[in-house]
Amino acid sequence: MTIRMQPDYRLSIAQIVPRTEAEGPGVRFALWFQGCPLRCPGCCNPEMLPFEGGTPMALGEIVRQMGQGLESHGIEGITLLGGEPLAHAPGAAALARAAREIGLSVMVFTGYTLEEARQMPDTAVAELLAHTDILVDGPYVREQPDSTRRWIGSTNQRVHFLSERYRADDPCWRQPNTLEIRLREGELAVNGFPARSAVGLWRRPPWRTPRDP
Ligand code: SF4
């Protein structure tokens, strides 16, 4: 079941934010995959639904950026979003494994439920789950917005602690939601709640400009 990939294996990436405090506990490296087979009404990232487009990036380059994030920004983990991470399971699993190997935690947002994920025949999905600390599951339901739980889009979505690294009573879950706005090369970048459900993510891929915020 172990997913080992060549460093030049390419992942389809919609966006990377190398340092964010708006996509999970602490300071994190956040990555959005390009492509999702689901169609939640009101999806805030419609431009990330097609599997075409995005930017192909080598696994080794992303892992290098994660390591740089640890050294330069003291990130405590990575967050995988989409698009749909489970639809990119081999690459997502390889990233999660690499993150764990350098001591980073892994948080994943998926539109599938945990039960659905566990029934998927793709062994890479199981590998991804095995290297995930926090899984936020279930489709986004526009009619059920969640105004109380940090980082969570709708009330049907559940937070699963798949390792001992985090707990539901950690103080981070009781802090207010965070919205980050960056100005980079004359364009605005927005991420974090309520961007996930209301504003939408801004679209210029920041990884093309290696200068961090
Ligand atoms: S799973 Fe996420 S990216 Fe996919 S349609 Fe639903 S909200 Fe959009």
Side-chain angles (χ1 to χ4, degrees), residues 36-40 43-45 49 82-84 110-112 138-140:
C36 174
L38 305 177
R39 292 295 181 269
C40 306
C43 170
C44 64
N45 295 332
L49 299 183
E84 172 52 59
T110 176
Y112 296 101
Y140 171 64

Side-chain angles (χ1 to χ4, degrees), residues 41-76:
C43 170
C44 64
N45 295 332
E47 76 291 348
M48 297 184 190
L49 299 183
F51 284 86
E52 300 76 30
T55 298
M57 289 186 69
L59 173 64
E61 169 58 19
I62 301 173
V63 171
R64 187 195 67 76
Q65 291 189 19
M66 283 169 20
Q68 186 179 41
L70 178 60
E71 288 184 11
S72 304
H73 304 308
I75 61 172
E76 74 173 64

Side-chain angles (χ1 to χ4, degrees), residues 13-23 25-32 57 61-79 81 102 104 180 182 184 189 191 201-202 204-213:
I13 305 302
Q15 175 170 261
I16 287 175
V17 175
R19 183 196 186 285
T20 176
E21 297 181 48
E23 303 294 351
V27 180
R28 310 188 73 80
F29 176 98
L31 181 150
W32 286 257
M57 289 186 69
E61 169 58 19
I62 301 173
V63 171
R64 187 195 67 76
Q65 291 189 19
M66 283 169 20
Q68 186 179 41
L70 178 60
E71 288 184 11
S72 304
H73 304 308
I75 61 172
E76 74 173 64
I78 68 169
T79 299
L81 315 93
I102 57 174
L104 298 175
E180 294 179 352
R182 296 179 179 82
R184 186 175 298 183
N191 73 286
L201 287 161
W202 144 95
R204 183 166 179 177
W207 62 87
R208 288 178 182 161
T209 57
R211 189 183 67 249
D212 288 347

